[in-house]
Amino acid sequence: MSTCAIQATPGAFAAAATSARKSLKRAKARTSSTRMHATPRKVVQSTATTPVAKTDYSADEYDLPYAPMEDLLPKGPWTPIEGGLTAPAGFKAAAFKAGLRASGTRADCALVVAEDGAVGAGVFTQNRVAAAPVMYCRDMLKESPVVRAVLINAGQANAATGTAGMEDACASARAVSAALGIGPEEVLLESTGVIGQRIKIDKFLPAIPTLAANLESSQEAAMAAATAICTTDLVRKTLAIEVDVGGGRMIKIGGISKGSGMIHPNMATMLGVITCDAPMEQEVWRKMLCRAAAKSFNQISVDGDTSTNDSVIALASGGAGGDVIAEGSAEAVALEGALTAVSIGLAKAIAWDGEGATCLIEVNVSGTETMKDAREVARSVVSSSLTKAAVFGHDPNWGRLACAAGYAGIPFRQEDMRIALGPHVLMEAGQPLPFDEKEASAYMKDTCEVHGTVQVDISVGEGEGKGTAWGCDLTYDYVKINAEYTT
C-alpha cells in the first residue's frame, strides 16, 4: 500500500499550503513534546451561529449492508464489540449527504473527531501522483503530533488537480477549524472518487458545519460514517475490538475502511481510519501502524492498480487512561497484535468486496528465508490476473499458481514447491500429483456461490518465513464497472 515515511509537500504545491504552515508554527508553541495531553483542549462541537438541522442517521442515505467482519477478523485474545470508530473512549463521528456524488442517494462526507486530541499516525500511497489530501496530511503529521479531526469525502479524489486542488484541501481544513474551534494543523483529510476532479467545494464547505453540529459517540453515527466514505463498495467495512494488554488493562480499537477497485499492495483506492484509546507516544504509534500496514493493507490486491489517494490514519486518544505504553513492553506487543488484527480485518474486507468479485482469495506462503520474502511471493500469486480469472472460472489450474510464485523474484528451488487448493494437494516436492479436477473445481464453485474464501497454500522450502496475501477473482462485472466508471 503505502509508505510510512512522513514527507513534506513537494515544492510545486508549497505556496498553496502556506496558510496551513503558518498555523503549524503556532501549534509547535502549544506542543512541547510528541506526548499527548500536555495541555488538553476539548474540541468545541460546533461554533455555527445558524441553527443546523439534526441529522437522522437511520435514513436510507446512511444505510449499507455490512461486510462479514466476524469471518474476516483474525482470531486472537481480543473480543469483538459494537461501536465501530466511536467504541474507543474520546471519539465522535458524523456523516452527511452534501451532494458530491455524480449519482445516487448515499451520504458522501464524514467527520471523525478526537474530543481531547489524539496522537496521529498515517501511511499513504507510494504513487508519485499523490492526491492533495495525501500531501496535506504528510505535512500536518510532520509538523504536529496532535490530531483532533479527520474530514473525509467521497465523489471526487482531488488528485491530479494541481495547486487548485491543494487550495481546496486547505480550505476544507480551515472550515473544520472554524466549525470546531481548533487549529487547521490539527485537521487531517481523506478523499476518494474520480481522479482528476476537484472537490465540489461549493457544496462541501457548507456541509462542514452540519457535520460538526451532528457529532455523536453513538454507534449510529459511526455506522453512518462508514457508509458515507464508500464509492463502488457494496458493503461498509467497520469493526471494533477490546483487548487486555496486560494486568486487566483494557484497550479498545475501532476502525472503518473503504475500497473495492484500484486495490494493490502499494495501497490502493482505499481509505481507512483507526481509533484507539491507549495513551501513546507518536513515534511508537507510527511504528506500530507501519508494521501493521505491512501485514494487512500492503497485502491486498484487486486489480493491480495503485491509487493516488491511499491513506490510513490511526488516532490514539489516551482516553483509557494510565501510563503511556512504552515501546518494546509486553503491553506494546499486545496492543500491536490487536492493531494488526483490526488492520487485517479491514484489509480483507476490501478484497472480499472487490469490484464484481464472487469470492475472497487467501494465499498462504511458507518456507522462505524471511517473512518479507513470503509476503512477496503471496502478493505475486494473489495479484496474478490469470490466477484470478481461473478462480472465477472455477479452473484448478495450479500451473498459474506455480508460475506467479516463480516470478515473484524470491529465490527458491522448484523441486521444494508444494501447492494445495483448499483440501486438494496439487503439487508435492516439485512434482504434479494426480487429483480429481471435478472435485477441485467444485470446491471453488461452491465457495464462490456463497462469497466465501478460496484458500491457496504454497510451500517453497524449509525456511521459517511465512506470509499471507488476499485478493479476489476477476469477473466480467469488474470490466463493466470500470469501463463505465465515469460514463
Side-chain angles (χ1 to χ4, degrees), residues 393-396 424 436-446:
H394 314 140
D395 178 10
H424 305 279
D436 190 324
E437 292 187 7
K438 290 184 178 179
E439 285 295 320
S441 178
Y443 161 73
M444 288 189 286
K445 183 175 184 295
D446 293 345

Side-chain angles (χ1 to χ4, degrees), residues 191-476:
S191 296
T192 184
V194 180
I195 295 171
Q197 292 187 4
R198 292 173 61 183
I199 298 173
K200 296 177 181 178
I201 205 72
D202 58 325
K203 295 183 178 181
F204 193 34
L205 293 184
I208 291 173
T210 301
L211 287 169
N214 283 279
L215 287 163
E216 296 180 8
S217 58
S218 67
Q219 173 158 315
E220 291 74 18
M223 299 305 105
T227 297
I229 69 173
C230 292
T231 49
T232 58
D233 307 54
L234 297 180
V235 294
R236 56 185 169 198
K237 295 99 175 168
T238 176
L239 78 164
I241 64 172
E242 186 174 46
V243 62
D244 184 342
V245 297
R249 187 180 189 187
M250 306 304 294
I251 299 295
K252 294 178 181 178
I253 305 175
I256 60 173
S257 64
K258 66 79 49 185
S260 189
M262 284 193 80
I263 304 294
H264 197 53
N266 290 325
M267 269 183 59
T269 303
M270 60 145 297
L271 303 180
V273 178
I274 295 173
T275 56
C276 175
D277 53 18
M280 301 295 300
E281 298 281 357
Q282 187 193 35
E283 185 60 17
V284 177
W285 185 234
R286 187 189 71 82
K287 289 178 181 178
M288 280 189 182
L289 177 62
C290 290
R291 289 190 292 263
K295 298 175 182 177
S296 58
F297 300 111
N298 278 338
Q299 291 297 109
I300 57 174
S301 183
V302 168
D303 48 22
D305 273 284
T306 298
S307 173
T308 54
N309 289 60
D310 309 332
S311 304
V312 173
I313 293 168
L315 307 177
S317 69
D323 294 336
V324 170
I325 293 180
E327 185 172 19
S329 66
E331 288 183 329
V333 172
L335 178 62
E336 184 170 335
L339 174 64
T340 301
V342 168
S343 299
I344 288 174
L346 294 173
K348 288 171 66 176
I350 292 171
W352 183 90
D353 191 33
E355 289 175 339
T358 67
C359 70
L360 178 72
I361 302 173
E362 178 176 285
V363 178
N364 301 296
V365 173
S366 62
T368 57
E369 291 297 316
T370 67
M371 182 186 299
K372 181 179 179 181
D373 287 349
R375 290 203 294 253
E376 191 71 33
V377 176
R379 285 199 302 268
S380 182
V381 175
V382 87
S383 300
S384 165
S385 295
L386 289 177
T387 293
K388 294 154 70 69
V391 173
F392 173 59
H394 314 140
D395 178 10
N397 190 338
W398 61 266
R400 293 182 176 180
L401 303 174
C403 176
Y407 62 60
I410 303 303
F412 63 85
R413 302 190 317 159
Q414 60 176 305
E415 53 265 39
D416 293 332
M417 178 177 280
R418 181 184 191 273
I419 299 176
L421 176 64
H424 305 279
V425 180
L426 313 180
M427 172 179 270
E428 187 76 64
Q431 300 297 319
L433 300 178
F435 67 94
D436 190 324
E437 292 187 7
K438 290 184 178 179
E439 285 295 320
S441 178
Y443 161 73
M444 288 189 286
K445 183 175 184 295
D446 293 345
T447 303
C448 291
E449 284 180 350
V450 296
H451 207 128
T453 302
V454 171
Q455 184 166 312
V456 176
D457 295 301
I458 300 175
S459 176
V460 296
E462 300 298 326
E464 296 183 356
K466 294 182 179 180
T468 302
W470 300 272
C472 60
D473 54 345
L474 186 60
T475 71
Y476 308 135

